[in-house]
Amino acid sequence: MTVEDVARLDLGYAPPFATVWDPILVAANVAVKKLTAEKDHLG
């Protein structure tokens, strides 16, 4: 599973038990942005 795959996961949302943004998805989205920026920088 790649970072992009993790960022696209549809994790369950249950207001009493989970926040809207799961920390795993937030971390994966940050990683995807960094990887994309690095790819753009390298050419």
Side-chain angles (χ1 to χ4, degrees), residues 7-41:
R8 284 188 229 114
L9 285 176
D10 187 15
L11 301 177
Y13 169 60
F17 307 107
T19 60
V20 175
W21 286 101
D22 189 278
I24 294 170
L25 293 179
V26 172
N29 284 317
V30 169
V32 166
K33 287 180 185 178
K34 287 184 178 186
L35 290 171
T36 302
E38 186 176 305
K39 286 180 189 175
D40 291 343
H41 178 69

